[in-house]
Amino acid sequence: GEEVAQTPKHLVRGEGQKAKLYCAPIKGHSYVFWYQQVLKNEFKFLISFQNENVFDETGMPKERFSAKCLPNSPCSLEIQATKLEDSAVYFCASSQSLQGLNEQYFGPGTRLTVT
Amino acid sequence: AQTVTQSQPEMSVQEAETVTLSCTYDTSESDYYLFWYKQPPSRQMILVIRQEAYKQQNATENRFSVNFQKAAKSFSLKISDSQLGDAAMYFCACIVQMNYGGSQGNLIFGKGTKLSVKP
């Protein structure tokens, strides 16, 4: 497809529950990025993939966050035992390469609310 | 570590007027790309304009232009003939190319500037 798709649009979880978010990158794009935008609008980079391989996971809170990009499946970001501070909009972006010349196309985001 | 700073949390402009949004950045690398993204209330991220650090000429896209001052590490966005549809959050961002020729590839964002347009 020509757009990055993210599901669901909204997700509400009680504290301690699991949350799983999905992202379908643009066909032909080799790189997928996950960003977290907290309610103060600040963006935080979480993780990037080159095809199905983790490229950079320096932003991931490793205890509770995990992510995968498997062949022929949407990429996923999973949060085990959600906390109130995980409430945010999670954006997925895809691009053809890591070079700044290639635009990162953003999905519409998934708003996660932890109650 | 690379940082991007937007010192104006909010700005306001009259319709049809011109407004400039400020951005400064810090990196020790010589090769990088700078971006301005627009985020309307729908939250969709829209690329407004891009500047390659090695290009001296300031990028322009219709009513949007940048003032890129490499020595000062400044990258401001000018919006001319402001329209009601320009009201949004604007984020300055950077992708750094590392010395070994590679890139982490992830965008480093500033905290954003909320732009209001008055009719």
Side-chain angles (χ1 to χ4, degrees):
Chain A
E2 291 301 315
E3 291 182 343
V4 177
Q6 288 190 250
T7 55
K9 267 189 176 179
H10 303 280
L11 192 57
V12 180
R13 288 289 179 265
E15 210 173 357
Q17 291 185 317
K18 185 172 75 175
K20 196 164 185 178
L21 292 61
Y22 297 92
C23 166
I26 292 173
K27 202 173 181 180
H29 283 190
S30 302
Y31 292 88
V32 171
F33 304 83
W34 284 98
Y35 297 93
Q36 178 195 53
Q37 186 180 28
V38 294
L39 295 180
K40 283 186 177 179
N41 292 314
E42 292 180 34
F43 279 89
K44 179 187 174 186
F45 165 71
L46 295 175
I47 190 169
S48 59
F49 286 84
Q50 180 182 15
N51 298 311
E52 61 266 28
N53 303 307
V54 174
F55 184 78
D56 181 354
E57 57 181 348
T58 51
M60 283 285 268
K62 289 183 184 172
E63 314 89 51
R64 299 182 296 108
F65 284 61
S66 63
K68 292 179 188 176
C69 276
L70 299 175
N72 303 314
S73 296
C75 296
S76 63
L77 177 68
E78 189 168 340
I79 309 172
Q80 302 283 346
T82 53
K83 296 184 177 180
L84 295 176
E85 70 218 41
D86 299 331
S87 294
V89 180
Y90 291 82
F91 287 97
C92 170
S94 73
S95 71
Q96 290 180 316
S97 81
L98 293 180
Q99 301 300 313
L101 277 172
N102 293 112
E103 182 177 346
Q104 287 189 23
Y105 292 84
F106 281 77
T110 292
R111 179 183 289 277
L112 172 65
T113 302
V114 181
T115 60
Chain B
Q2 292 80 27
T3 58
V4 175
T5 302
Q6 293 179 251
S7 58
Q8 306 154 316
E10 295 188 25
M11 289 284 283
S12 181
V13 64
Q14 204 72 33
E15 197 176 4
E17 298 290 305
T18 295
V19 65
T20 298
L21 308 184
S22 302
C23 172
T24 58
Y25 60 93
D26 190 21
T27 177
S28 56
E29 304 294 339
S30 58
D31 191 11
Y32 49 87
Y33 295 83
L34 297 164
F35 306 83
W36 279 98
Y37 279 86
K38 173 184 177 181
Q39 188 180 43
S42 66
R43 291 272 184 178
Q44 180 66 51
M45 293 292 283
I46 303 162
L47 178 63
V48 174
I49 199 162
R50 166 175 40 212
Q51 175 80 41
E52 297 160 51
Y54 61 86
K55 284 193 175 177
Q56 290 187 332
Q57 189 172 4
N58 288 325
T60 61
E61 287 286 343
N62 301 314
R63 297 182 296 107
F64 298 88
S65 61
V66 297
N67 184 4
F68 175 45
Q69 300 290 326
K70 193 169 185 177
K73 295 185 178 176
S74 169
F75 182 61
S76 60
L77 175 70
K78 186 170 88 171
I79 306 174
S80 304
D81 185 25
S82 297
Q83 300 175 0
L84 295 176
D86 295 334
M89 286 290 294
Y90 285 83
F91 291 92
C92 181
C94 178
I95 289 178
V96 175
Q97 311 290 137
M98 300 304 191
N99 279 334
Y100 55 79
S103 170
Q104 291 174 306
N106 57 286
L107 287 156
I108 302 160
F109 286 95
K111 292 185 178 181
T113 297
K114 184 177 181 180
L115 178 66
S116 304
V117 181
K118 295 178 182 174

